[in-house]
């Protein structure tokens, strides 16, 4: 069934499975997924409105809306309930779910591919791309799927998403550490994600999607290129172009949705849902020029929105992945879309630089009434604290000991168990 723009959404959250004492990664997603009535291992299971599944590696468990939703009421609590159910099962093997977007000291070469459903597809990915890097087995995220119906709605949604994508690390970064030390990026997940499939550059592009606003143009510019480039490596045609596409937002024309993939997972589901609500409220406001000033016509505004330069957006994403909310943005044209600057003259650019964190605070002040009370409570604290990555870095510094990592990331696991924020 196809839903209209803003009518439905879906959320997906990924967590690692680790040993409760050592935090060593454990390839045991089989435990919470369980077996079916015939004794066969399940790769997915549903508990009412929340589904659990595995994708690619055996130490990652995904929680997702089983069906498209129209309301956020109680959603964080539902995810939390199923997370606690999974943790109860994992206790039997002294394991637990670990939040945050990257494990701070895992060796990604120790990964084990999921050996059950979709094994041929996962083996093909591993053969082509070598999934032993952090960008394959150490990057947990929160995805949001947003509905659209037809080219007009797709174009409106895609235009607003492109503009918002570079700001996401400034609200959601949670992956400052890789290989036992500070990576140099507060959002190391996105930095590794950018290079995940360098072997075939068309698959991820510049992460920021190209400015295409109809199915035919998307197919011509993106899908046809991806299909042609993967063909020599995939003679059996096992890899579908819809999920091969690895941009920061991907068009799922097969289900009438765009999936946003650039949000690091947080320390608890209420924090994740708060960010998802903020994303959607921001996109809705962008689509009707709610932030902008001096809009002479909606037609002109939408043309300007669609024409925002992809290279500039991609460069901004690299900078926000590095510095998150502390990123200084002195791009008047971009700022003006969010109501942060009324001028685009080069002379004034020096005087209108703002931080990405300040842009989010301004956005929130405009859209907060469109967000549920529970999520507002969390966003108030998160915007004051800064990103989870910054909070972790303030506490742990550049080169923490293994023991310090274990102590602090166990606190994150406790936040997940109790659905509360990490204070740092």
């Amino acid at each position: 069934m196809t839903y209209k723009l803003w009518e439905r959404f879906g959320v997906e959250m990924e967590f690692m499975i680790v040993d409760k004492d050592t935090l060593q990664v454990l390839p045991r997603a089989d435990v919470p997924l369980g077996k079916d009535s015939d004794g066969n291992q399940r790769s997915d299971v549903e508990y009412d409105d929340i589904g659990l599944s595995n994708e690619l590696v055996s130490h990652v468990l995904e929680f997702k809306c089983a069906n498209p939703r129209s309301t956020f009421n109680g959603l964080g609590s539902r995810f939390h309930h199923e997370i606690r159910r999974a943790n109860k099962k994992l206790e039997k093997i002294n394991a637990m779910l670990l939040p945050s977007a990257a494990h701070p000291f895992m060796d990604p070469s120790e990964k084990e591919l999921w050996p059950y459903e979709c094994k041929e597809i996962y083996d093909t990915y591993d053969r082509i791309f070598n999934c032993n890097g952090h960008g394959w087995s150490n990057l947990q995220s929160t995805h949001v799927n947003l509905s659209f119906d037809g080219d007009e709605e797709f174009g409106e949604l895609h235009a607003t998403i492109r503009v918002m994508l570079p700001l996401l690390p400034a609200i959601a970064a949670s992956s400052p550490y890789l290989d036992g030390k500070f990576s140099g990026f507060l959002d190391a997940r996105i930095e590794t994600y950018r290079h995940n499939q360098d072997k075939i550059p068309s698959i991820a592009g510049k992460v920021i999607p190209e400015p295409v606003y109809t199915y035919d143009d998307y197919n011509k510019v993106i899908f046809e290129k991806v299909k042609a480039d993967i063909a020599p490596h995939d003679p059996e045609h096992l890899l579908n172009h819809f999920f091969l596409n690895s941009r920061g937002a991907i068009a799922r024309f097969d289900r009438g949705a765009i999936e946003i993939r650039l949000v690091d997972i947080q320390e608890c589901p209420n924090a994740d849902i708060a960010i998802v609500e903020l994303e959607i409220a921001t996109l809705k406001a962008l689509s009707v020029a709610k932030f902008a000033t001096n809009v002479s016509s909606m037609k002109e505004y939408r043309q300007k929105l669609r024409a925002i330069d992809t290279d500039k957006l991609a460069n901004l994403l690299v900078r926000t992945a590095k510095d998150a909310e502390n990123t200084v943005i002195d791009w008047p044209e971009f700022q003006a879309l969010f109501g942060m600057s009324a001028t685009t003259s080069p002379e004034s650019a020096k005087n209108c630089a703002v931080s990405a964190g300040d842009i989010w605070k301004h956005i929130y002040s405009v859209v907060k009434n469109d967000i549920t009370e529970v999520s507002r409570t969390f966003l108030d604290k998160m915007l004051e604290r800064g990103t989870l990555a910054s909070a972790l870095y303030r506490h742990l510094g550049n080169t923490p000991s293994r023991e310090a990592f274990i102590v602090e990331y166990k606190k994150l696991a406790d936040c997940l168990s109790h659905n509360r924020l990490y204070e740092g």
Side-chain angles (χ1 to χ4, degrees):
M1 182 175 179
T2 302
Y3 296 100
K4 303 295 289 183
L5 182 61
W6 315 124
E7 189 176 0
R8 291 288 192 277
F9 66 88
V11 180
E12 305 167 21
M13 301 180 187
E14 301 167 330
F15 297 96
M16 277 194 170
I17 298 170
V18 300
D19 183 274
K20 290 182 73 171
D21 300 319
T22 67
L23 300 193
Q24 289 296 129
V25 170
L26 295 177
R28 295 307 306 272
D30 61 301
V31 173
L33 289 171
K35 299 182 185 297
D36 63 21
S37 57
D38 296 322
N40 300 311
Q41 177 61 49
R42 292 185 297 204
S43 290
D44 56 80
V45 63
E46 290 184 5
Y47 297 104
D48 297 321
D49 56 340
I50 302 294
L52 279 63
S53 64
N54 170 272
E55 289 187 8
L56 188 65
V57 287
S58 295
H59 63 265
V60 172
L61 187 63
E62 181 178 86
F63 297 76
K64 56 194 174 187
C65 297
N67 297 292
R69 289 182 61 100
S70 60
T71 174
F72 282 101
N73 292 337
L75 186 56
S77 295
R78 281 295 298 122
F79 273 103
H80 182 232
H81 179 82
E82 297 310 330
I83 286 165
R84 287 176 61 87
R85 186 203 300 263
N87 264 336
K88 193 71 176 173
K89 294 178 180 179
L90 288 167
E91 281 180 1
K92 299 171 185 175
I93 58 168
N94 198 46
M96 65 181 179
L97 298 172
L98 185 71
S100 83
H103 192 291
F105 58 78
M106 80 166 286
D107 179 352
S109 68
E110 296 176 355
K111 65 95 176 68
E112 292 183 19
L113 297 178
W114 184 246
Y116 304 103
E117 189 176 347
C118 298
K119 182 180 186 302
E120 281 187 324
I121 293 174
Y122 301 151
D123 286 343
T124 301
Y125 267 108
D126 198 31
R127 173 177 57 78
I128 297 173
F129 298 107
N130 181 11
C131 298
N132 287 339
H134 289 293
W136 289 99
S137 58
N138 188 19
L139 72 169
Q140 289 65 246
S141 56
T142 300
H143 295 181
V144 56
N145 292 265
L146 300 174
S147 63
F148 68 85
D149 183 13
D151 276 352
E152 184 176 344
E153 292 187 358
F154 168 73
E156 180 179 341
L157 183 59
H158 202 226
T160 56
I161 287 174
R162 290 180 71 250
V163 170
M164 184 183 68
L165 287 178
L167 286 177
L168 291 178
I171 190 71
S174 72
S175 50
Y177 298 102
L178 294 175
D179 301 314
K181 61 183 183 298
F182 179 54
S183 66
F185 286 78
L186 289 171
D187 202 322
R189 183 188 73 88
I190 286 181
E191 178 58 16
T192 56
Y193 183 92
R194 289 198 314 118
H195 301 289
N196 218 18
Q197 296 166 95
D198 282 349
K199 185 175 181 178
I200 305 176
S202 64
I203 289 179
K206 297 172 183 175
V207 180
I208 303 296
E210 292 83 341
V212 288
Y213 302 111
T214 67
Y215 172 80
D216 286 344
D217 286 346
Y218 202 101
N219 190 53
K220 187 184 305 180
V221 173
I222 297 175
F223 286 151
E224 293 300 333
K225 177 67 172 168
V226 168
K227 287 189 280 190
D229 290 349
I230 197 66
H233 306 276
D234 181 27
E236 297 86 5
H237 304 291
L238 291 171
L239 305 182
N240 181 286
H241 59 282
F242 283 121
F243 60 75
L244 260 177
N245 182 11
S246 295
R247 283 152 181 78
I250 62 172
R252 294 298 304 267
F253 293 102
D254 56 328
R255 63 188 186 203
I258 298 180
E259 180 179 312
I260 301 173
R261 316 173 104 198
L262 284 192
V263 173
D264 280 13
I265 197 156
Q266 304 301 297
E267 66 269 49
C268 68
N270 272 355
D272 288 297
I273 294 302
I275 290 176
V276 171
E277 285 200 58
L278 181 58
E279 287 179 78
I280 295 175
T282 301
L283 294 172
K284 286 181 177 179
L286 272 173
S287 72
V288 296
K290 192 171 183 177
F291 304 112
T293 57
N294 300 324
V295 175
S296 56
S297 75
M298 283 303 298
K299 182 179 179 181
E300 181 182 330
Y301 168 79
R302 285 176 176 148
Q303 287 174 340
K304 186 180 295 185
L305 198 66
R306 292 185 176 206
I308 290 288
D309 186 77
T310 305
D311 287 335
K312 286 187 176 181
L313 292 170
N315 290 336
L316 179 56
L317 176 63
V318 174
R319 295 200 293 119
T320 56
K322 185 175 188 299
D323 295 322
E325 70 270 33
N326 304 311
T327 306
V328 175
I329 299 176
D330 54 1
W331 179 7
E333 182 185 14
F334 181 84
Q335 292 165 240
L337 292 172
F338 296 97
M340 295 295 286
S341 169
T343 177
T344 57
S345 68
E347 294 78 18
S348 65
K350 302 174 192 174
N351 303 317
C352 65
V354 296
S355 73
D358 284 340
I359 290 181
W360 273 121
K361 288 175 181 177
H362 173 69
I363 289 171
Y364 179 58
S365 72
V366 174
V367 304
K368 65 186 302 180
N369 289 337
D370 299 320
I371 294 171
T372 64
E373 183 178 355
V374 172
S375 287
R376 288 200 303 269
T377 300
F378 274 75
L379 286 167
D380 286 339
K381 295 175 182 176
M382 292 161 73
L383 287 166
E384 181 66 27
R385 179 199 65 184
T387 58
L388 177 56
S390 293
L392 287 166
Y393 181 72
R394 284 194 297 270
H395 195 84
L396 289 168
N398 283 311
T399 53
S401 66
R402 176 69 64 91
E403 292 73 21
F405 273 133
I406 291 172
V407 168
E408 216 56 31
Y409 276 70
K410 279 186 178 180
K411 292 180 184 177
L412 295 186
D414 188 64
C415 290
L416 182 61
S417 293
H418 293 91
N419 208 5
R420 62 175 176 80
L421 285 180
Y422 172 82
E423 300 296 340

